[in-house]
Amino acid sequence: MLKPHPTVLRRLVEEYETLTAAGTGTATAGGPTVPNARINDLAYTLCVSTGTRDVRHALATARRWLAGADDLPAAGRRDAGAGAGAPAAV
């Protein structure tokens, strides 16, 4: 199974936790509240990213993976933007 980059996964977890801690937001015309829609999107993305079907399991899995990523030596980590702007090999 492919794993998401730790930086991306960390952002998903942080945004999910921030929005769920804040509660609900303002309603949109004919739809769910904006934060609720975003929370649903984040929950789905976390589940797909971690291979789980429940956001609680997805968060637990994400935290476990992030803890493992934090244990990597600095040389073993790759920044999400590394290589950006570098010319492609022909």
Side-chain angles (χ1 to χ4, degrees):
M1 180 171 117
L2 294 174
K3 287 187 179 181
H5 191 280
T7 302
V8 173
L9 189 58
R10 187 171 285 110
R11 285 183 195 151
L12 290 170
V13 170
E14 288 173 357
E15 185 177 356
Y16 181 85
E17 290 175 340
T18 298
L19 289 176
T20 56
T24 59
T26 57
T28 60
T33 61
V34 174
N36 285 342
R38 181 64 182 150
I39 289 169
N40 290 339
D41 289 345
L42 289 164
Y44 174 81
T45 304
L46 282 163
C47 287
V48 170
S49 298
T50 58
T52 60
R53 298 183 74 173
D54 181 279
V55 71
R56 293 169 296 183
H57 297 142
L59 289 168
T61 300
R63 289 184 189 113
R64 189 170 57 251
W65 288 356
L66 290 171
D70 290 340
D71 293 340
L72 289 175
R77 295 184 193 161
R78 293 193 316 197
D79 184 32
V90 180

